[in-house]
Amino acid sequence: MQVMVELSLYPLVNDYVGPIKAFIERLNSYSNLTVITCSTSTQVHGDYTEVMQVLGAEMQRTHEEVGQAVFVAKFLNFDAMSSK
């Protein structure tokens, strides 16, 4: 099953641009995921299980490195969306 996640990151630190860029760069390092960055969010598309594992690991890393950070996400069943 394919999933698409629209994700926004809000690091609760003064220098917030660095952690956002680092998070997006790490997502782009996974060659089997499609990552599209927009001005206010990033879309991640791929196999459901793999996307969830990657996001879990990378979100945890962000929290460990930054401290307080808010993630806002929308999860879409890409298979169902593509079939219409």
Side-chain angles (χ1 to χ4, degrees), residues 2 77-84:
Q2 296 288 302
N77 178 342
F78 201 71
D79 289 337
M81 195 171 79
S82 298
S83 66
K84 292 187 179 190

Side-chain angles (χ1 to χ4, degrees), residues 44-68:
V44 182
H45 169 254
D47 175 72
Y48 190 95
T49 301
E50 187 166 1
V51 168
M52 298 304 283
Q53 288 173 345
V54 167
L55 290 181
E58 296 304 340
M59 289 167 66
Q60 179 177 350
R61 181 173 171 184
T62 297
H63 281 125
E64 290 171 347
E65 292 177 355
V66 175
Q68 290 292 74

Side-chain angles (χ1 to χ4, degrees), residues 4 14-15 21-22 32 35 39 41-42 47 57 82:
M4 183 173 70
N14 287 333
D15 180 24
K21 284 185 176 182
N32 40 353
V35 179
S39 59
S41 65
T42 297
D47 175 72
S82 298

Side-chain angles (χ1 to χ4, degrees), residues 15-35:
D15 180 24
Y16 57 88
V17 174
I20 294 170
K21 284 185 176 182
F23 180 73
I24 293 169
E25 286 174 7
R26 292 195 311 268
L27 291 180
N28 279 311
S29 72
Y30 295 90
S31 60
N32 40 353
L33 300 182
T34 301
V35 179

